[in-house]
Amino acid sequence: MDMCLTGRRMDAEEAERSGLVARVFPETSLMEETLKIAAKIASFSQPAAAMIKQSINTSMATPLPEGIRQERHLFYSTFATEDQKEGMAAFTEKRKPDFKHR
């Protein structure tokens, strides 16, 4: 879920070292790093983040074909949001999106 929500990519060495955990931080920087991640997720479109979470949670509880259908349905649903249009406009205009969470 971490990688889906933040868009972060993990290389093979990190995946091996971490045992496929989301992230590992020293205890001294745990809160700071956690807040950075939370801020990044919060900067994205709230409806899109909710759909990503729903898709992942559904895929964990259903057979693969049903999970894929649900993911496709939710992806198509993003096109009905104002944030999707803002995200595409920001991408083509090479600027940071200003999501309204609608």
Side-chain angles (χ1 to χ4, degrees):
M1 189 173 291
D2 169 70
M3 292 189 308
C4 290
L5 291 173
T6 65
R8 186 176 78 84
R9 295 178 186 244
M10 181 186 328
D11 63 21
E13 292 80 19
E14 181 181 0
E16 182 178 338
R17 282 193 316 269
S18 69
L20 296 177
V21 297
R23 308 229 186 149
V24 176
F25 299 110
E27 187 175 348
T28 56
S29 64
L30 178 61
M31 186 58 71
E32 177 185 346
E33 296 298 330
T34 301
L35 291 173
K36 283 182 196 175
I37 294 166
K40 181 169 185 154
I41 293 168
S43 75
F44 296 141
S45 166
Q46 185 179 13
M51 288 180 199
I52 290 168
K53 287 175 65 176
Q54 182 180 352
S55 178
I56 291 168
N57 289 334
T58 298
S59 74
M60 301 296 282
T62 61
L64 181 60
E66 178 59 30
I68 291 171
R69 275 192 293 279
Q70 175 72 5
E71 181 181 348
R72 186 178 302 124
H73 169 74
L74 290 168
F75 173 73
Y76 294 152
S77 296
T78 65
F79 285 86
T81 67
E82 291 178 33
D83 284 350
Q84 185 277 339
K85 291 158 188 60
E86 168 59 17
M88 292 299 287
F91 177 79
T92 58
E93 296 167 11
K94 296 180 177 23
R95 62 173 172 80
K96 186 176 172 132
D98 180 22
F99 294 121
K100 302 297 183 200
H101 308 293
R102 298 186 289 248

